[in-house]
Amino acid sequence: LASSLLATSALAQTPPMAPDIGARFEAPLDAHDYVKRVVMIPMRDGVKLHTIILVPKGAQRAPMLLTRTPYNAAGRTSRAVSPNMLATLPAGDETMVRAGYIRVFQDVRGKYGSEGDYVMTRPLRGPLNNTKTDHATDAWDTIEWLVKNVKESNGKVGMLGSSYEGFTVLMALADPHPALKVAVPMSPMVDGWRGDDWFHNGAFRVNTLHYIASQTTARGSGSELATGVYDDYDSVLRGGSVADYAKRFGLDKLNYTKKLFEHPAYDSYWQHQALDRILGARKLTVPTMTVVGQWDQEDIYGAYAVYGALEAQDADNKRNYLVIGPWRHSGVNYDGSSLGALKFTGDTALEFRRDVMQPFLDQYLKDGAPAADTPPVLSYQTGSNRWQRLPRWPLAASTSTVYLQGGFGLDFKQPAAGAAYDEYVADPAKPVPFVPRPVRMGDRDVWQPWLVRDQRFVADRPDVLSYVSAPLKAPMQLSGAPVVNLFAATSGTDADWVVKVIDVYPDEMPNQPAMGGFQLPLSMDIFRGRYRNSLESPAPMVANRVERYRFALPNVNHVIQPGHRLMVQIQSSWFPLYDRNPQSYVPNIFHAKAADYVKATQRVYHAPDAASSVELPVVVHPPF
Ligand code: PG9
């Protein structure tokens, strides 16, 4: 034994005490089908932005696709540790990888590896931004660098990305670099007050605070809120006003929280950032395909608003395109076969990316690629479950008005004289939940499909009114944004109104038994009553006076099938997603005091002279 040990140590060349972690390790990359370059790209003010470029090995004259992100470029380019570019990049990039594209991800200024200051959804240079840089200049400087320095490229760049990344795509369009040939903003954040992310029609989305913590408590990944409570319903309710809740976690010290609290109304701070207004006032030169999910639980407003604002400039249908899929927020980049209980005809997201988006990108980015056959509007119509190539959006050229009726009916005819209203007591101490309790807003399975959740869990609450039609005799095709005309009175001096348009399935669904009686929300939103006359200048209501509240609901493209019924549901809270209205008027609801939260009696009218209704974008108007 002694002699064999001796023999072993004589052969050994690595001393037992050689350090096992060396100065630098580089794995061989011969098997990789791509080359990864990590560079710091200088902007015009000297700030350098951390950029990751993946070049397919052997690429020549390849086009480049750029995504500018606040969500960690390094993470976005390492789905798997793999020698294959396909496995390394996000699932939604599959068709681009197969088509040989160079892929670029960049950390926006101030986040993760990039230098500079981070400002949440940094406004364009102008009244709100007195620096020399914004996302338009940063995109410009980045593209300038890419076309000069990536030798494998053909000098053509496209931009795409979803949500915040979609916002940075739109920002680049404010002053596009000449090499930016095509843009695909997906579920872009466009207007944080009207209906994307932070507020909906003035009602504040409490989960915004969690987002601010995750994005602005650190340059990298920020912290989560240590609530110590499983059910967000309890946690937020006990928290009191939004300002008190924020304070509990120290979030009141963060600048973005302060900015939100200082701008509860649609003042110039919000108006100057509204990207539909900004882009609508400029010339659209870059072919742009704006993409959105019909049930986008984060940015359901902006895509349609931008498309609408740009459409006036696109009489020849050459630059402004819209795609509406049956998806949740950013669902376009994942599996699109189902959403909640809804099942579609296949992976609709892949179908779009492969058959529509990729040819569109190729047309503008690949040398010599043929023109793609892109319709002005592509939309997956739910209910009938089929893709539609449409000439415009909205498709419905006019509306059909459906009226609330006494006895909780719903009909296309005006209500007759009779009981003039229905009423309920809205109690801020017992707000209506937006999903069944326990509420876990951060759980993907709860959050992502919540807009298609069966509404029966609240339909019978005494503080929820449900008006329902007779079974339809013929299909009813909705294609556009329903508009609410609510005649209501409150015993308080402020109130929120939540209105839902719902497809009620037949009692029995032989081929899908669990869908019997399902209440599928097609379009629903909240409106903060104080903004009924002006979004900018709120005003108290006069207690018990009937007033009209008119507001648009999110867009819908759906067929309600024969035998189904149409329902309109009304309630005065949607908690804890939306902050509670105290129901007694205070100048700034963020800072409401405990005593301001009072019960109120809400009356919803269905009288000939106060006929609450919803204008429906019906393509063909069938009788019930
Ligand atoms: N909806 C998210 C967001 C966008 C813009 C600002 C803040 C949040 C997102 O998914 O990126």
Side-chain angles (χ1 to χ4, degrees), residues 44 68 109 119-140 164 167-176 189-190 268-283:
R44 60 192 64 184
R68 306 192 59 254
R109 127 184 334 248
V119 175
M120 181 80 81
T121 52
R122 175 180 282 260
L124 277 185
R125 285 160 299 150
L128 301 172
N129 176 351
N130 59 5
T131 72
K132 292 197 164 45
T133 59
D134 54 28
H135 286 298
T137 65
D138 284 350
W140 210 102
Y164 201 126
F167 157 83
T168 63
V169 175
L170 290 179
M171 279 291 192
L173 295 178
D175 180 18
M189 141 73 105
V190 168
S268 58
Y269 176 74
W270 296 111
Q271 292 170 27
H272 285 313
Q273 294 186 71
L275 266 173
D276 52 333
R277 293 180 181 215
I278 291 170
L279 295 176
R282 298 175 187 219
K283 200 159 162 38

Side-chain angles (χ1 to χ4, degrees), residues 71 120-121 162-164 189 197-198 211 298-299 329-330:
Y71 301 134
M120 181 80 81
T121 52
S162 183
S163 200
Y164 201 126
M189 141 73 105
D197 286 302
W198 319 132
Y211 185 83
E298 292 176 34
D299 297 298
H329 183 61
S330 299

Side-chain angles (χ1 to χ4, degrees), residues 545-561:
R545 185 163 83 189
V546 184
E547 299 210 47
R548 186 172 81 143
Y549 301 87
R550 183 174 167 81
F551 56 99
L553 297 178
N555 279 270
V556 55
N557 191 25
H558 180 85
V559 177
I560 306 183
Q561 296 291 356

Side-chain angles (χ1 to χ4, degrees), residues 26 56 109 226 292 358 382 553 555 581 598 603:
E26 274 176 21
R109 127 184 334 248
V292 67
Q358 193 58 48
T382 52
L553 297 178
N555 279 270
N581 191 317
V598 294
R603 289 183 173 169

